[in-house]
Amino acid sequence: MEEKEQIIRTEYSEVMQKSYIDYAMSVIIARALPDVRDGLKPVQRRTLFDMHELGIRHDRPYRKCARIVGDTMGKYHPHGDSSIYEALVVMAQEFKKGLPLVDGHGNFGSIEGDGAAAMRYTEARLQKITQEAYLADLDKDVVDFVPNFDETEKEPSVLPVKVPNLLINGAEGIAVGMATSIPPHNFSEVIDGVKAYMKNPDITTEEMMEYVKGPDFPTGGIVVNQADLLHIYETGTGKIKIRGKVEIEQVKGGKQRLVITEIPYTMVGANIGKFLMDVYHLAETRKTNDIVDISNQSSKEGIRIVLDLKKGADVENLCNMLYKKTRLEDTFGVNMLAVAGGRPETMGIVPIIRHHVNFQYEIATRKYNTLLAKELDKKEVQEGLIKACDVIDLIIEILRGSKNIRDAKDCLMNGNTKNIQFRYKGSEADARHLRFTERQAAAILEMRLYKLIGLEIEALMKEHEITLSNIAKYEEILGSRTAMAKVIIKELNRFQKEYGTDRKTKIENAAEVVYEEKKVEEMPVVLLMDRFGYVKTIDLSAYERNKEAADTENKYVIFCMNTDKFCIFTDKGQLHTVKVLDIPHGKFRDKGTPLDNVSNYNSNEEEMLYVNSLGNILGKKLLFANSSGMLKQVRGEEFDVSKRTVAATKLNTGETLLLVQPLTEGEEESVVMQTEKNMFLRFFASDVPEKKKGAIGVRGMKIDEKDKLQAVYLLGQEERTVLAKEKEIALHRLRMANRDGKGVKK
């Protein structure tokens, strides 16, 4: 019988809401946020565990990253291989992690943003600290193992990490509706903080900061807002200001150079290249004249960005300028968000350490319970063997007189002599008193004869003493939180001694940067743009010397002030502005720069209709005409805007601008409109009303449905002719009519 189809009727919004919440929680818990206990995201945890399972330890040969990534993806992390490889690469990068967990071999990228080589080329293995502090004791039932995605393997729900990795390595992750951003900290300081908390669980954030001074970025730098750190570590959110480290070197000839030896952590990657471009731009736009040359001399030894200065340069002001205008001073947004108890939580530094310490007690309890159980098992067996050695003759007689193992075992455990053949009369009575446990009986039956040698018996006795000692030790640790704390602290001290490093980031309360921008000396310049769209500005005197060549070689020659703006009106109805100071200033024969590079204008998508400086437009009116025949006048002041690109007029879908032209004050000008079927209409420009730039305008001409507007002209006193169907039409001789007429056919 066929099963009936079940249709569940439900509100669509409810399904969407539930599905989205499920998706969001999946991203938050299973992808983007680290667990507060081990400080690892699932992809990092699974990659490290897989390397542990593959036996890729620090003292063994490197293995191909492709093998690691493939194995991790196939067994534990059923997502893209790129995300697994990226996580592996980051765990090996010294400039991103305070404590790299993976030892990479090959090209794992650079601090300047170069990507790692493909995973088929690179190799990796675990770092020694990762084995000792992150993956040790997994065989001692210290953490829960859960089924993997297809329930064919088991994976740890959390790694038994013995150091507060969340603080040491920090974390970055974007989930759904939330993000985490935790800075890295100094290994030794964080260990000191953990020990201080274990000695005083009521420690305050202020007291904790006597041990954990602040973030310690692998790139060094200087944290300049020390006063804000207490609030940040109390609440788990805030902003850390970081500056690069700048040194001044003396050069021959009394000149100096600025050398940047440490950069803000936020500059790692492509932002180093952007910083160099920003400095170049400052010099190019004459914001500073002190920089003669800039070079990036960074190498494996470290960062070294050199700025050569001219003689007598104001070094302090230049440094302040770099802090203000570039990313040499930057902000690191802190949001200490992690998964605690299965839910995301923003925590200060003390709660993070509290979670870590509680986790340490939990894994230590489970570890020593497991060890104690093993020692108790050993003790039981050892006691059985010792006891057996005392009555070995009787046991041998039982074994020789038994028909099978079951009868022998029954006799050893329960004193059952029913099926045993004894050689001596008294032996059977002695055998009835035997009461070995099942485990002891099994060990006796498996015991080899060489164990009866005197030295072997002595070794067994010593081993038994060690077992009793271990049991006492483990029971003491499990019975007292103080004793367990001593064990945890002892291990932390060992890690601190072996892996601790000096602080790289300096922390201070620096004064706010004060940079006085030098006022640009206002001067007249000539802006030149050739037919290829290359622009430059030159001095007025340079133009006068090359006037004839400048006028013939350039499409536009505009006289303006260097503090002015250059305006470009396009057929798409856009106005693009660019500061004249942003246009390269140089010699007449300099090539200039493409207009696309200094403005939002795109020569492939837009066509220039009118260009001029803002200063030359102010006080004038501009005539606008679009492809639908709508006209208007707009005052130049409307285009004095702060944005680089604005809509110069309102256009409907499919419309384009045909004309943008300034009107000459005091001159009687006329507008001529021409259609594709050679209908011409001429009327006074004064008939076109003045409107705002956001208005559509008024109709200039009634155009037949089968016709289309072809061109619009603004005429002054000059004579002008156009070609229409191979016939010359003198526009200035057309009869004057009223606006919004049909025009005449020519």
Side-chain angles (χ1 to χ4, degrees):
M1 189 175 171
E2 282 188 28
E3 212 177 293
K4 283 189 178 180
E5 188 177 340
Q6 281 191 324
I7 298 172
I8 299 167
R9 295 189 177 274
T10 183
E11 186 67 35
Y12 182 69
S13 60
E14 288 176 13
V15 175
M16 286 298 293
Q17 186 178 4
K18 183 181 182 304
S19 301
Y20 190 75
I21 289 170
D22 289 347
Y23 158 72
M25 288 308 293
S26 171
V27 172
I28 290 164
I29 305 298
R31 294 291 286 273
L33 300 187
D35 192 297
V36 71
R37 294 170 294 174
D38 62 4
L40 297 169
K41 297 181 191 178
V43 64
Q44 296 169 325
R45 185 180 303 121
R46 287 164 173 168
T47 305
L48 293 176
F49 178 66
D50 186 74
M51 291 175 76
H52 174 73
E53 287 293 283
L54 289 172
I56 314 172
R57 311 191 194 291
H58 81 280
D59 52 356
R60 294 190 187 173
Y62 294 94
R63 296 281 282 277
K64 285 284 184 189
C65 290
R67 169 69 196 275
I68 299 165
V69 170
D71 206 61
T72 304
M73 185 166 58
K75 287 182 179 175
Y76 311 114
H77 198 70
H79 302 288
D81 58 350
S82 58
S83 64
I84 299 170
Y85 184 49
E86 193 177 323
L88 180 66
V89 166
V90 170
M91 286 192 288
Q93 291 177 329
E94 291 181 355
F95 50 86
K96 279 194 180 172
K97 292 289 179 188
L99 184 71
L101 304 179
V102 171
D103 179 9
H105 185 240
N107 176 12
F108 273 77
S110 75
I111 194 169
E112 293 177 25
D114 302 314
M119 65 178 105
R120 61 182 177 273
Y121 301 120
T122 53
E123 298 176 331
R125 64 185 177 190
L126 291 169
Q127 293 275 17
K128 191 182 177 191
I129 178 70
T130 316
Q131 284 174 220
E132 294 181 358
Y134 287 68
L135 296 159
D137 300 331
L138 274 171
D139 57 341
K140 296 182 178 68
D141 189 36
V142 288
V143 292
D144 293 333
F145 276 72
V146 294
N148 70 336
F149 61 93
D150 62 359
E151 299 191 355
T152 57
E153 303 276 346
K154 292 274 190 181
E155 61 173 307
S157 58
V158 64
L159 289 186
V161 178
K162 296 175 182 176
V163 292
N165 180 59
L166 190 66
L167 292 173
I168 291 166
N169 273 329
E172 280 182 14
I174 300 169
V176 178
M178 57 185 71
T180 185
S181 180
I182 304 172
H185 294 78
N186 183 269
F187 186 87
S188 295
E189 288 183 5
V190 173
I191 299 286
D192 284 336
V194 171
K195 290 189 288 188
Y197 175 84
M198 291 178 78
K199 288 169 186 171
N200 175 20
D202 298 321
I203 192 169
T204 64
T205 306
E206 194 172 355
E207 289 168 340
M208 179 60 74
M209 288 185 66
E210 290 176 18
Y211 304 96
V212 185
K213 313 289 184 190
D216 186 26
F217 298 103
T219 53
I222 306 161
V223 170
V224 294
N225 60 332
Q226 188 177 15
D228 298 337
L229 293 181
L230 179 60
H231 176 74
I232 292 169
Y233 283 131
E234 183 71 48
T235 61
T237 59
K239 290 180 179 177
I240 294 171
K241 281 187 183 176
I242 331 165
R243 283 182 196 165
K245 187 178 178 184
V246 182
E247 295 175 356
I248 300 166
E249 291 182 2
Q250 300 296 328
V251 193
K252 288 178 183 177
K255 293 181 181 179
Q256 293 177 313
R257 60 161 62 130
L258 288 183
V259 181
I260 298 159
T261 56
E262 292 176 9
I263 57 171
Y265 186 62
T266 50
M267 204 196 278
V268 169
N271 286 323
I272 293 179
K274 189 179 183 304
F275 168 73
L276 296 171
M277 287 304 298
D278 288 344
V279 176
Y280 172 77
H281 185 68
L282 290 173
E284 188 73 16
T285 55
R286 296 190 171 185
K287 291 272 178 23
T288 176
N289 296 318
D290 291 340
I291 300 173
V292 176
D293 187 33
I294 178 169
S295 59
N296 186 1
Q297 300 174 12
S298 304
S299 63
K300 285 181 180 178
E301 278 68 49
I303 291 288
R304 183 177 167 84
I305 299 170
V306 180
L307 277 64
D308 289 305
L309 310 180
K310 72 177 186 182
K311 196 171 183 178
D314 186 347
V315 176
E316 187 179 344
N317 195 51
L318 179 60
C319 281
N320 288 344
M321 181 190 200
L322 293 175
Y323 289 141
K324 230 17 171 184
K325 300 281 185 183
T326 71
R327 296 189 78 157
L328 194 59
E329 178 177 294
D330 208 355
T331 302
F332 183 95
V334 177
N335 187 26
M336 290 157 71
L337 181 73
V339 176
R343 57 189 291 274
E345 190 179 330
T346 302
M347 292 167 277
I349 190 167
V350 175
I352 287 175
I353 289 176
R354 182 184 302 120
H355 278 288
H356 169 75
V357 170
N358 289 342
F359 181 55
Q360 292 313 299
Y361 281 122
E362 183 190 327
I363 61 175
T365 302
R366 290 180 65 161
K367 173 186 174 179
Y368 288 109
N369 271 325
T370 304
L371 290 174
L372 179 61
K374 281 184 181 177
E375 292 296 321
L376 287 171
D377 287 348
K378 262 206 252 177
K379 177 192 171 207
E380 184 184 340
V381 171
Q382 287 165 356
E383 284 177 347
L385 292 175
I386 291 166
K387 190 176 166 186
C389 288
D390 292 339
V391 289
I392 194 65
D393 293 332
L394 176 62
I395 289 169
I396 290 169
E397 194 173 341
I398 292 167
L399 295 178
R400 290 182 70 180
S402 303
K403 290 180 181 176
N404 53 53
I405 290 176
R406 189 176 65 251
D407 291 343
K409 201 171 184 181
D410 191 25
C411 181
L412 291 172
M413 289 170 62
N414 306 311
N416 187 355
T417 59
K418 190 177 175 184
N419 298 319
I420 311 288
Q421 295 273 331
F422 288 94
R423 296 181 72 182
Y424 304 105
K425 288 180 182 178
S427 298
E428 186 173 354
D430 292 338
R432 286 199 186 98
H433 294 97
L434 293 177
R435 292 292 183 273
F436 289 102
T437 65
E438 188 176 351
R439 190 177 278 112
Q440 288 173 340
I444 291 165
L445 291 171
E446 289 169 6
M447 185 175 69
R448 296 184 180 184
L449 287 174
Y450 78 86
K451 288 285 184 183
L452 299 173
I453 298 168
L455 287 174
E456 288 295 324
I457 294 170
E458 203 174 306
L460 178 64
M461 298 295 284
K462 281 183 181 176
E463 195 179 321
H464 183 55
E465 284 174 18
I466 293 168
T467 301
L468 292 174
S469 169
N470 286 340
I471 289 168
K473 185 171 76 173
Y474 298 153
E475 284 177 341
E476 185 190 351
I477 291 169
L478 289 166
S480 161
R481 197 173 174 90
T482 308
M484 190 177 283
K486 279 182 184 175
V487 172
I488 294 170
I489 288 171
K490 185 180 178 183
E491 198 162 30
L492 287 175
N493 286 334
R494 184 175 69 80
F495 292 143
Q496 189 177 27
K497 188 177 178 182
E498 191 169 349
Y499 303 107
T501 54
D502 294 333
R503 165 173 280 281
K504 292 178 181 176
T505 302
K506 193 177 174 186
I507 295 175
E508 59 184 44
N509 273 319
E512 186 72 26
V513 169
V514 178
Y515 165 63
E516 292 179 11
E517 197 163 347
K518 292 179 183 176
K519 287 188 177 179
V520 178
E521 188 183 339
E522 196 172 30
M523 56 183 266
V525 292
V526 182
L527 192 149
L528 305 176
M529 186 167 80
D530 64 18
R531 59 195 176 91
F532 300 109
Y534 280 77
V535 291
K536 66 188 173 203
T537 59
I538 58 171
D539 293 332
L540 208 53
S541 56
Y543 169 75
E544 295 294 345
R545 288 194 302 272
N546 302 277
K547 187 175 187 306
E548 190 176 335
D551 291 345
T552 54
E553 291 173 11
N554 291 287
K555 189 176 179 182
Y556 296 104
V557 178
I558 298 168
F559 295 86
C560 58
M561 302 303 289
N562 63 340
T563 53
D564 207 345
K565 284 182 181 177
F566 179 46
C567 301
I568 308 133
F569 293 87
T570 74
D571 63 335
K572 302 289 185 190
Q574 297 291 315
L575 165 65
H576 301 293
T577 61
V578 54
K579 290 178 181 177
V580 174
L581 283 169
D582 291 343
I583 296 169
H585 184 85
K587 297 173 183 175
F588 175 68
R589 284 298 166 198
D590 288 348
K591 190 175 182 181
T593 190
L595 184 60
D596 297 36
N597 289 3
V598 290
S599 72
N600 291 338
Y601 171 72
N602 188 329
S603 56
N604 296 321
E605 297 177 5
E606 303 172 280
E607 184 185 333
M608 279 186 234
L609 292 180
Y610 177 67
V611 299
N612 210 331
S613 73
L614 181 64
N616 293 339
I617 293 172
L618 295 175
K620 293 184 179 179
K621 292 178 183 176
L622 273 66
L623 179 72
F624 281 75
N626 70 23
S627 56
S628 299
M630 305 302 283
L631 304 172
K632 65 178 176 181
Q633 291 184 33
V634 184
R635 285 188 174 275
E637 283 74 13
E638 289 267 318
F639 306 108
D640 187 2
V641 291
S642 57
K643 290 184 179 178
R644 284 166 64 95
T645 300
V646 293
T649 186
K650 187 174 182 180
L651 292 176
N652 292 320
T653 307
E655 289 180 346
T656 57
L657 263 182
L658 293 181
L659 178 79
V660 179
Q661 200 69 33
L663 295 159
T664 308
E665 196 176 346
E667 189 175 317
E668 192 63 71
E669 293 174 298
S670 60
V671 178
V672 178
M673 303 182 78
Q674 175 191 356
T675 71
E676 287 181 352
K677 292 191 175 180
N678 286 339
M679 297 293 292
F680 287 85
L681 177 66
R682 184 183 180 204
F683 52 88
F684 287 113
S686 55
D687 290 350
V688 179
E690 184 185 318
K691 300 274 185 183
K692 294 287 185 183
K693 73 174 189 288
I696 293 173
V698 295
R699 189 167 65 181
M701 182 180 186
K702 289 176 182 171
I703 304 167
D704 191 76
E705 283 184 10
K706 295 178 182 178
D707 204 356
K708 194 177 179 184
L709 189 63
Q710 182 175 318
V712 181
Y713 309 97
L714 180 64
L715 300 181
Q717 300 301 319
E718 80 284 358
E719 296 183 1
R720 186 167 180 181
T721 59
V722 295
L723 208 62
K725 287 190 178 177
E726 299 179 358
K727 184 169 71 171
E728 285 193 349
I729 307 293
L731 297 180
H732 59 283
R733 290 185 181 174
L734 291 170
R735 187 171 61 83
M736 201 70 79
N738 290 326
R739 179 181 62 78
D740 203 22
K742 285 192 173 182
V744 293
K745 184 151 180 93
K746 290 289 181 181

